[in-house]
Amino acid sequence: MVAGSTNNFEYQLPASPKFFVGRREAIRQAGEVFAKSGSVIVLNAQSGWGKSSLALRLKKMTEDSGGAALVVDTRTVATTRFVSSVLRKFGEQAAIDGYVELPSKPSWASLTSSLRTLSDSTWLNRGPLFLMFDQFENVFRDEALARQFRDLALGVQELDIPLTVGFSWKTDYVGWTEGYPYQLRDEIRGSAHVITLPTWGPRDVETLLRRLEKESGQRLSRELRQRLREYSQGLPWLFKKLAGHLLREIESGVTQEQLLSEALNVQTLFEADMAELSPHEREALKYIARFAPVNVTDAMDRVSADIVQSLINRRLIVSVGEHLDTYWDIFRDFITSGRVPIEDSYILRQAPVSVARLLRELEKDGGDSYVVEVAERFGTSENAVWNLVRELRLMGISSYEPNRVSFVDSVRNASDRDSAIRTLVGQALRRHRAYTTFLEAAERSGGRLTFEAFARKLQDVFPAVAVSRDTWVSYARVFTYWFEVGGLAVIEGKSAKVPTDGHVAQTELLNRVSKMKTRGSFPTSSPGPSVALLKALKEAPRPVTQLSKRELVSLRDLLRLGAITEGLDGLLEVSRPELIENGKIHEEALQNLLRQMPGGDAAWIHLADDPAATPQLIGEHIKKALGAAWSRATTISVGKHFRGWVRFAGLVTSTRRKPQAINPDREGLF
């Protein structure tokens, strides 16, 4: 029997049905197979991707529909009589429970007689029958045993009862590289409906994030949630492993801020992983980490198959095609260097030109600023500033301190701070998965890669992140701009190329002065033309010199709102990739920007409570926040335009009806 987990984040055991997440398509396919008589399914995926969890979920689904099910662990199978013994146990229990009526003289002496007994049985129409052989890899060690299961897969299809027999095995089983019975394996798979499990999607990860918040008793910060999404790579077991580690750290008193500053404090997790290994396993892991990704055949020349399989079963190494690698880039660096490096699987969302504004404020403050003060100077919220701070921290430019942002010593003490920043950016991104992906893709494309092509590759790097195609292109553009800052790429139009040897980056962030002025109140004009310009720039960034006079008027509001920024190449582009998706305004993203404007939050709340609030009342909130001395007409104008903006952000407004004049001649009045 296969045992399930006792909580949401017990990654060593398959998830019990109570804690199961996702796999809707796989369940749908299995349901269609269960409706047929004498059918076979095969569950295929890499280690830890949820095959056993799905098997337990299908068992529960069968039982809920009035049927009988059994999931058997086949790792300890040692004799060919195992198959008929399991069929006997399953058949007799199904008869006791009233699902089938066995023939008067059942025989279970062999596979042939067992199948004949089932064939002669009468199904009592109570529900489907499901028999699953899980953890099937070891069966292939014995060809005679594998042949028995092959014969079972072929023979069960002759039965006239709704019995489905299932098999589950890993697709990263290294034993197959040593001549295991491919033919028998393929005959089983060829006779079955094969369900191949992908990684988790964003919706599945979000479900577990909510459960993690509930179990930890605290709301996870946006950055911590995003870090878990990006680190887990859509792998069920890795997310659960990280989540369980996070719970233990929080229970021990570690704050979320500390976890972020120390890469989730995974060093203790890695040390626990290593402590469980034997000396031979430890040496094998170090060898694989040192040369990863290493070809399976080359690894077998140095390490026995049993040890490699043991490391895969422990989920410390994974199979990537014909190569072996550690389960996480950070873990690989820990093994080879003995330390945990800065994060290297995050998404950069803020373009360098946006972050440069914060860098210049830091420079004015001598390299150490309070976030609340910077927010006041920018006329925005602390959250907006923290979004910029996040990028500096990830690339090692700023240290992790509560409520503050400050240069690390190597930047603070540098004679040329711009050069020091470029060096740190280059060092951080060289060990980033996105940069490795960029290099590999560019190499296959003649040394050059378009933003569109890079965006498609990034989706594979971050399978648990759900955004639109346009947003992925924006992420690709942001990453590439930072690559250029670090001297790792050269941007030319809508593509980037790998620089030649000896290339020296020249981008200046501290000394760069934007020609665009963003001071003044918001809003000053109707939002319609501004939204149209925003969509146009999302589709095709342009320099300010190519804008019409009318567009320049709209640009002022977009700049003050923080929706538009000037790229390093002088092109105007959308500052937040998620602001426009599939050609439409993302209402929540726009709402966040509006509420960050001076007086915007109070005005938004007022309109949410009273959709008919007059333009003057709304304008008064903005006037008060700015300390302005506006006339009544100006106040009404600003309030009117703000009401227009909130409608684009999804908030419904209405006009207050004027009281009707009394007509004394109306019949029935007196």
Side-chain angles (χ1 to χ4, degrees):
M1 296 290 289
V2 174
S5 63
T6 58
N7 61 60
N8 281 298
F9 306 113
E10 189 175 3
Y11 77 93
Q12 298 92 339
L13 293 175
S16 297
K18 178 181 179 181
F19 308 113
F20 187 80
V21 171
R23 304 304 188 195
R24 296 167 187 79
E25 175 59 22
I27 292 172
R28 184 196 63 77
Q29 291 182 41
E32 293 179 352
V33 175
F34 286 1
K36 304 174 184 177
S37 295
S39 52
V40 180
I41 64 170
V42 167
L43 305 183
N44 273 176
Q46 292 194 25
S47 178
W49 285 30
K51 300 180 300 299
S52 299
S53 301
L54 179 58
L56 293 178
R57 177 66 181 84
L58 295 178
K59 175 178 181 291
K60 180 69 163 53
M61 183 178 76
T62 302
E63 293 169 345
D64 288 346
S65 61
L70 178 65
V71 179
V72 181
D73 189 332
T74 59
R75 282 176 292 188
T76 58
V77 179
T79 172
T80 56
R81 288 191 54 81
F82 177 83
V83 180
S84 55
S85 296
V86 170
L87 290 176
R88 177 175 184 172
K89 177 180 179 180
F90 184 67
E92 291 180 345
Q93 189 60 52
I96 292 172
D97 294 340
Y99 296 101
V100 297
E101 183 179 299
L102 297 176
S104 57
K105 293 183 179 181
S107 173
W108 310 98
S110 65
L111 173 61
T112 302
S113 62
S114 297
L115 288 173
R116 187 181 304 114
T117 296
L118 292 174
S119 179
D120 294 340
S121 299
T122 302
W123 176 52
L124 300 180
N125 201 30
R126 285 193 54 192
L129 305 173
F130 176 49
L131 175 59
M132 184 75 190
F133 294 97
D134 192 30
Q135 306 287 350
F136 202 68
E137 301 80 19
N138 284 358
V139 169
F140 294 109
R141 292 177 177 273
D142 186 326
E143 185 170 348
L145 187 58
R147 193 176 300 278
Q148 281 277 301
F149 280 101
R150 188 277 313 269
D151 293 344
L152 170 63
L154 297 177
V156 75
Q157 298 178 64
E158 303 299 323
L159 302 181
D160 194 27
I161 59 175
L163 170 63
T164 298
V165 173
F167 303 91
S168 167
W169 64 72
K170 304 169 185 174
T171 55
D172 53 0
Y173 187 52
V174 298
W176 290 341
T177 64
E178 298 188 339
Y180 282 16
Y182 288 96
Q183 183 179 357
L184 297 176
R185 180 202 66 189
D186 292 343
E187 286 179 359
I188 293 174
R189 191 156 52 192
S191 67
H193 180 92
V194 180
I195 299 176
T196 302
L197 302 186
T199 56
W200 264 349
R203 185 175 176 183
D204 304 322
V205 175
E206 179 60 30
T207 298
L208 264 295
L209 282 170
R210 289 198 296 268
R211 293 183 186 179
L212 178 58
E213 288 183 326
K214 183 176 180 180
E215 194 155 332
S216 67
Q218 55 184 265
R219 185 173 180 81
L220 299 180
S221 70
R222 179 181 176 183
E223 187 173 350
L224 191 55
R225 288 169 62 90
Q226 196 62 43
R227 200 72 59 83
L228 283 169
R229 278 186 180 278
E230 295 163 358
Y231 279 0
S232 63
Q233 306 166 51
L235 303 177
W237 68 270
L238 183 51
F239 181 92
K240 293 178 181 180
K241 181 171 185 173
L242 292 173
H245 168 69
L246 199 72
L247 285 172
R248 291 190 295 272
E249 292 294 303
I250 290 175
E251 288 171 1
S252 68
V254 179
T255 66
Q256 293 188 34
E257 185 72 22
Q258 289 172 318
L259 287 169
L260 286 168
S261 68
E262 298 172 8
L264 302 189
N265 199 16
V266 292
Q267 181 155 340
T268 58
L269 181 64
F270 295 161
E271 289 170 349
D273 287 337
M274 298 294 287
E276 298 175 353
L277 302 180
S278 69
H280 291 303
E281 289 173 327
R282 188 184 292 262
E283 287 303 313
L285 183 59
K286 287 183 177 179
Y287 169 77
I288 293 170
R290 190 178 305 118
F291 298 101
V294 59
N295 187 279
V296 173
T297 304
D298 294 339
M300 294 304 177
D301 292 338
R302 295 284 302 270
V303 183
S304 72
D306 287 343
I307 288 181
V308 171
Q309 192 61 54
S310 173
L311 294 174
I312 288 178
N313 293 342
R314 291 174 181 271
R315 304 194 179 113
L316 297 180
I317 62 173
V318 294
S319 172
V320 184
E322 297 180 352
H323 294 79
L324 298 174
D325 201 348
T326 56
Y327 74 85
W328 195 5
D329 295 342
I330 299 177
F331 183 50
R332 181 179 64 230
D333 291 344
F334 171 76
I335 295 170
T336 56
S337 68
R339 64 182 182 84
V340 176
I342 299 296
E343 300 87 340
D344 58 358
S345 57
Y346 44 80
I347 292 179
L348 293 173
R349 293 172 169 80
Q350 304 290 334
V353 67
S354 300
V355 178
R357 187 182 178 197
L358 174 60
L359 289 172
R360 290 192 289 272
E361 290 300 314
L362 265 175
E363 180 85 344
K364 294 176 186 176
D365 294 339
D368 190 356
S369 303
Y370 285 97
V371 171
V372 63
E373 293 179 357
V374 175
E376 288 176 359
R377 294 179 214 164
F378 286 177
T380 186
S381 70
E382 291 181 45
N383 283 339
V385 177
W386 280 119
N387 288 335
L388 302 175
V389 173
R390 172 185 181 270
E391 316 295 62
L392 297 183
R393 288 180 168 182
L394 290 173
M395 289 182 284
I397 299 168
S398 172
S399 57
Y400 282 77
E401 295 180 53
N403 307 317
R404 294 165 65 185
V405 54
S406 58
F407 285 135
V408 294
D409 289 342
S410 60
V411 175
R412 188 194 304 270
N413 301 328
S415 57
D416 183 349
R417 288 182 173 176
D418 255 319
S419 177
I421 289 171
R422 289 194 295 268
T423 298
L424 289 175
V425 170
Q427 290 174 349
L429 294 181
R430 274 192 181 90
R431 57 177 176 260
H432 198 292
R433 294 173 60 218
Y435 178 60
T436 303
T437 301
F438 170 78
L439 283 182
E440 292 173 350
E443 183 178 353
R444 290 192 292 270
S445 303
R448 184 185 300 274
L449 192 65
T450 66
F451 295 141
E452 289 270 359
F454 188 26
R456 291 193 292 271
K457 296 296 182 181
L458 284 179
Q459 293 181 62
D460 297 331
V461 174
F462 302 104
V465 177
V467 292
S468 70
R469 170 186 165 276
D470 288 345
T471 301
W472 280 117
V473 174
S474 295
Y475 286 163
R477 189 188 301 275
V478 170
F479 264 117
T480 310
Y481 280 153
W482 280 110
F483 292 162
E484 186 170 54
V485 171
L488 307 179
V490 176
I491 296 176
E492 294 180 349
K494 295 183 178 181
S495 65
K497 66 178 183 181
V498 179
T500 58
D501 292 341
H503 171 75
V504 178
Q506 299 294 333
T507 304
E508 293 188 342
L509 298 178
L510 286 172
N511 298 323
R512 184 176 183 275
V513 178
S514 175
K515 299 177 182 178
M516 300 187 301
K517 298 180 180 180
T518 61
R519 294 187 178 277
S521 61
F522 171 89
T524 59
S525 59
S526 174
S530 294
V531 171
L533 177 60
L534 189 66
K535 293 178 179 179
L537 292 176
K538 174 75 172 185
E539 184 67 25
R542 285 179 282 160
V544 68
T545 54
Q546 292 184 8
L547 299 187
S548 66
K549 290 183 178 180
R550 183 177 179 182
E551 286 176 327
L552 288 173
V553 173
S554 301
L555 178 64
R556 286 198 295 267
D557 271 349
L558 293 176
L559 291 172
R560 291 161 186 157
L561 186 61
I564 290 293
T565 188
E566 184 182 11
L568 292 176
D569 52 3
L571 298 181
L572 299 174
E573 57 190 33
V574 179
S575 62
R576 302 293 297 274
E578 67 274 16
L579 191 55
I580 297 182
E581 295 186 348
N582 299 321
K584 297 181 179 179
I585 290 288
H586 189 286
E587 293 179 350
E588 184 179 353
L590 179 57
Q591 177 191 150
N592 290 335
L593 290 180
L594 290 173
R595 298 183 71 167
Q596 290 170 12
M597 299 304 295
D601 193 52
W604 179 281
I605 293 172
H606 194 151
L607 280 168
D609 291 339
D610 179 11
T614 65
Q616 182 172 356
L617 289 174
I618 299 306
E620 288 290 349
H621 290 294
I622 300 171
K623 176 181 177 181
K624 179 180 178 182
L626 292 171
W630 292 338
S631 67
R632 181 175 181 275
T634 300
T635 304
I636 291 174
S637 176
V638 170
K640 176 183 176 181
H641 296 323
F642 192 86
R643 281 170 53 93
W645 275 102
V646 301
R647 287 194 289 272
F648 276 103
L651 192 63
V652 177
T653 66
S654 62
T655 56
R656 198 177 302 279
R657 291 185 177 180
K658 297 180 180 179
Q660 293 183 349
I662 297 176
N663 183 356
D665 296 327
R666 193 169 63 188
E667 185 177 346
L669 187 61
F670 297 104

